[in-house]
Amino acid sequence: KSWQSEYDTVVKEGRKLFTDPALGKNGVVCAQCHPNAANTHPETYPKFQKQMGRVVPIWEMINWCIRNPLEGEPLGADDPKMAALQTYITHERRGVKLAPVKH
């Protein structure tokens, strides 16, 4: 399997999770607030997040969304589902210049 094929598979899995109500417990999906990963800005992480009162990497912000709007269980930083979510939102922002800390 080529790296491109593997990458494409993980992006598709991330997109699927982004629209899957099973990620939470209340029927809300990530795409309701972030259609096509809009306004996720993975290129700005790590950064200070008011909700947590500290600087966090993107996976912690994803878990905040899973716990709060979705009322789901957080994923481990090394969970393949977390990798897929991060890959998908980063893929959707491909070509955007890195801008850590930007709000």
Side-chain angles (χ1 to χ4, degrees), residues 16-83:
K16 182 177 155 202
L17 289 165
F18 216 71
T19 58
D20 186 354
L23 197 54
K25 294 182 180 158
N26 59 6
V28 175
V29 300
C30 301
Q32 282 177 245
C33 294
H34 305 284
N36 299 312
N39 203 28
T40 56
H41 302 291
E43 72 278 1
T44 65
Y45 284 85
K47 70 180 175 185
F48 182 82
Q49 280 300 138
K50 287 187 292 191
Q51 299 93 322
M52 290 172 265
R54 60 191 169 83
V55 173
V56 299
I58 186 89
W59 70 267
E60 286 194 53
M61 191 64 215
I62 292 169
N63 269 338
W64 183 91
C65 290
I66 291 171
R67 276 192 310 274
N68 293 285
L70 277 60
E71 298 176 2
E73 295 299 320
L75 301 171
D78 61 348
D79 188 307
K81 289 180 181 178
M82 180 58 77

